[in-house]
């Protein structure tokens, strides 16, 4: 049951996250009112515009793919060392590092507000929860 819930959690959260990235790539501004404010809010840099369409769509596809691995293992119960478990190991490491680096001295320490506060309060805890789900799926028993 925990493995199925972990798969659904990864799939839902990361699908929604990838859709938000597509929206931004196509010029959407939520939750800000202009590109500079959006950059400060979701990227954490003081720039006049967001990254370009191609880069944003590539990131959206990668985020969606991460969720698809969680869905494949947790919900569909697919099991392959090379095609599922090793990618889940890699995703566990990526999400753990991305979530933990927020709380260490480094690039996120110099992030602009409101990203800095949002990252500490919401983004990184969610990313760490996803890392836990990916780890659970990596080590889930074989069917």
């Amino acid at each position: 049951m925990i493995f199925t819930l972990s798969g659904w959690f990864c799939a839902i959260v990361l699908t929604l996250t990838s859709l938000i990235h597509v929206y931004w790539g196509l010029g959407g501004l939520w939750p800000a009112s202009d590109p500079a404010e959006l950059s400060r809010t979701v990227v954490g840099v003081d720039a006049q515009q967001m990254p370009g369409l191609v880069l944003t769509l590539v990131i959206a596809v990668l985020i969606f793919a991460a969720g698809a691995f969680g869905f494949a293992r947790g919900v569909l119960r697919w099991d392959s060392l090379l095609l599922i478990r090793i990618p889940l190991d890699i995703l566990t490491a990526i999400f753990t590092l991305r979530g933990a680096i927020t709380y260490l001295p480094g690039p996120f320490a110099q992030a602009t507000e409101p990203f800095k506060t949002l990252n500490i309060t919401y983004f990184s805890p969610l990313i760490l929860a996803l890392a836990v789900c990916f780890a659970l799926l990596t080590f889930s028993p074989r069917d």
Side-chain angles (χ1 to χ4, degrees), residues 57-115:
L57 292 181
V58 166
I59 290 171
V61 167
L62 292 172
I63 291 169
F64 180 80
F69 279 105
F71 186 82
R73 180 66 195 128
V75 178
L76 301 178
R77 307 300 293 161
W78 291 358
D79 194 18
S80 164
L81 178 64
L82 186 60
L83 299 176
I84 299 293
R85 291 196 187 251
I86 290 175
L88 286 172
D89 280 339
I90 294 167
L91 289 169
T92 301
I94 290 169
F95 278 72
T96 301
L97 289 171
R98 167 55 185 89
I101 200 167
T102 295
Y103 305 104
L104 302 172
F108 290 122
Q110 284 80 37
T112 61
E113 290 293 347
F115 176 82

Side-chain angles (χ1 to χ4, degrees), residues 17-18 21-22 51 53-65:
T17 303
S18 76
H21 280 76
V22 169
L53 173 64
V54 173
L55 177 60
T56 306
L57 292 181
V58 166
I59 290 171
V61 167
L62 292 172
I63 291 169
F64 180 80

Side-chain angles (χ1 to χ4, degrees), residues 4 13 23-25 92 119 135:
T4 303
V13 169
Y23 168 76
W24 289 331
T92 301
N119 192 35

